[in-house]
Amino acid sequence: MKDPQWQRTWTVRDFHLGMTLDSGQAFRWAQRDAGWVGVVGGRWVCLRQEGERIVAKVADDPGDWRWLAEYLGLDVEWSRVVEAFPGDAAMRDAVSACRGLRLLRQDPWECLASFILSSTKQIVQIRQSVAQLCERHGKRVPVPPGEPPAWTFPSAAALARIPEATLRACRMGFRARYLSEAAQRVAGGDLDLGQLRHLPLDEARAALMGLVGVGRKIADCVLLFSCHQPRAFPVDVWVLRALRDGYFDGRPVAMRQVEAFAAQHFGPQAGYAQQYLFHAARARAGRVASGAGTVAD
DNA sequence: AACCAGGACACAA
DNA sequence: TTGTGTCATGGT
């Protein structure tokens, strides 16, 4: 039934697959009995965790699997990341609540487009909008027999050709213009997303913020989740609350003030720290489907 | 049924 | 520089 050639197992430590895939950094993973199903690098993938092992199945020749190891960040040592965190109480609480939470290394265009769609939307709704965009404008990818169909995330070139009104129909409202213009600038070579990882953080951030509809928060999401910028620190309402409660004694704080504090307090792994604070805050509020999978440690 | 969401922007003071 | 209204939509 299963071709072992198209299956691969890695041994991991401190890796919580379910929490990672469902933590609001990527929007295409669906949990099924067999595991988490998504599309990475144009391939259908099913991931599941069994203790200290992650098992991946694909529907087509996977080549050397490096594309998936890179996506999952399997080369990252969690203990090294956590060592770099400040030792304050809020940070310790977040780490113990989110053991095994990782950052993915996503495709920059998919990440940018997804977060353009994210503004003032709940994570559930972002997933729906992205799913519809892929279903209507992506390309079908091979899936194993009996599996529901799957699509690639539509390329910038593909989206640049689609009328704004057509995009708008994918539940994206006023964000359709932002997505359309970003697609045109990326497809036209005006903005080279692949180069952002080689620029200093502030320059890469400024380049992204040159896009209409991309401010500081969305820019930092893209930089952190897809451009290897570990100090990027996106501040949404959840992180704002977490910082206010954990570091400002619950007093209201301005966004500028929070950003300045974060830049000097959280160190070289600030982006990872941010993801822990974000997820812990959402978990406390009951916004996270807990119990998905187990932690390997 | 209000309320809110991994915001950004134009505009006012 | 900081504050407020607007955009659009559907889940909870």
Side-chain angles (χ1 to χ4, degrees), chain A residues 193-201 203-204 227-229:
Chain A
L193 296 177
Q195 196 206 351
L196 295 179
R197 59 184 289 188
H198 304 299
L199 296 178
L201 175 59
E203 288 180 31
C227 296
H228 299 73
Q229 294 279 359

Side-chain angles (χ1 to χ4, degrees), chain A residues 18 21-22 28-38 47 289-293:
Chain A
L21 298 180
D22 200 28
R28 296 252 278 151
W29 292 99
Q31 187 174 26
R32 295 220 256 283
D33 286 343
W36 295 87
V37 174
L47 297 171
S290 59

